[in-house]
Amino acid sequence: MDERDFSALVVYEDDARNFQRRICRKSVNELPAGDVLIQVKYSSLNYKDALSASGNRGVTKRYPHTPGVDAAGRIVESVDPAWQVGEEVICTGYDLGMNTSGGFGQYIRVPGSWIVRKPAGLTLLESMQIGTAGFTAAQCLLHLEHNSITPANGPILVTGATGGVGTVALLLLHMLGYEVTAVTGKDSEHEFLYAMGATTILTRQELLACREKQLLPIRWAGAIDTVGGDLLAAAIKSTGFDGVVTSCGNASSGDLPLTVYPFILRGVHLVGVYSANCPMTKRVLVWEKLAREWKLNELSRICRLIQLNQLDEEIQAMLAGRSKGRCVVDMEGVA
Ligand SMILES: NC(=O)c1ccc[n+]([C@@H]2O[C@H](COP(=O)([O-])OP(=O)(O)OC[C@H]3O[C@@H](n4cnc5c(N)ncnc54)[C@H](OP(=O)(O)O)[C@@H]3O)[C@@H](O)[C@H]2O)c1
């Protein structure tokens, strides 16, 4: 019997089917079976966590539950010979934080096949400043590169630009020399977006002008879309010949109102991006890139470090579309 107990954010469903979030003490014995027990040093807030924390059954079926699709920490027990006690590791995606107790607890227990050795070029804090959102942005960039989209091809559009995926995408694109057009609904954040590397800023309404047309004048070589719906459709309609549009999110809508004309007349590539079940080989490659040639030295400009007891207000802001940048949770500072 393991007597260790720890703090965790727990989401409960009450008799009236309302969801409440509380910081509770849990025992390591309550964690699911798994190969590797990890003491979590940092976690980070992603959109999926906000959904899980508010009772979205598409993400989490059973409550009480501890969300947190991201965790970085140190192995304290392992029955998997591939993993040794003391190793610093990153665990993102798979079922973590969905129906497996997640990174908003000070311990997680997971299969060894879910974890990645922290690359030498990143600290645990940096890995969570990037987190699933940044890992997803990096995958989008990988698709641009694999399809030969370079800065010479023209600007890249980023939607949901002040969000977690959007801000990391901005930093990466700017560092690699791309011109970036950022789309935002936040009039108050234009200065912030310029400082993060945007060269042009559009409001959502500006991107949606003439949305009824099947094709729009060519404006960019590619796009990183995090919101879906009409904005994604407009991005595709205004992408140039052989351009690449990545779709990773649905912050606005899961719909895609579009004809085939951007594809059959301009050869636009629409590439879907998924992170939770990203294959391990690609996962390691992306983390290594983020630790070396894509190493971001300005992550602290888009991230804030919070304590577990500040998560609730961050979750509410994210659900209301008010969040900005990335939010890292210091899991060690909790009593
Ligand atoms: N496929 C994957 O594996 C994967 C991985 C990570 C995230 N995602 C998805 O990607 C999306 C973005 O994630 P995130 O971490 O960046 O979330 P986030 O930090 O909450 O940012 C989302 C941003 O989208 C914009 N937005 C919000 N509501 C909108 C609306 N109704 N219409 C248009 N724009 C809206 C806002 O930016 P502005 O105010 O600047 O417009 C907001 O800051 C989410 O849908 C998430 O589930 C998918």
Side-chain angles (χ1 to χ4, degrees), residues 277-290:
N277 290 296
C278 175
M280 190 45 83
T281 319
K282 188 174 182 191
R283 211 173 260 267
V284 171
L285 177 130
V286 172
W287 279 115
E288 286 296 335
K289 271 183 99 77
L290 285 162

Side-chain angles (χ1 to χ4, degrees), residues 34-48:
D35 306 326
V36 182
L37 182 67
I38 299 166
Q39 186 172 16
V40 179
K41 305 281 184 192
Y42 298 102
S43 182
S44 85
L45 179 62
N46 290 279
Y47 201 79
K48 210 187 238 182

Side-chain angles (χ1 to χ4, degrees), residues 45-48 51 132-133 136 139 159-167 183-186 193 204 225-227 231 247-253 273-276 318-326:
L45 179 62
N46 290 279
Y47 201 79
K48 210 187 238 182
L51 295 176
T132 287
T136 305
Q139 277 203 78
T159 61
T162 64
V165 178
T167 47
V183 181
T184 186
K186 299 186 184 81
L193 291 172
R204 295 176 194 162
D225 177 71
T226 68
V227 301
L231 290 166
S247 162
C248 71
N250 59 348
S252 157
S253 166
V273 173
Y274 62 100
S275 290
M318 186 168 257
L319 289 170
R322 282 190 278 108
S323 58
K324 172 178 151 188
R326 300 266 307 129

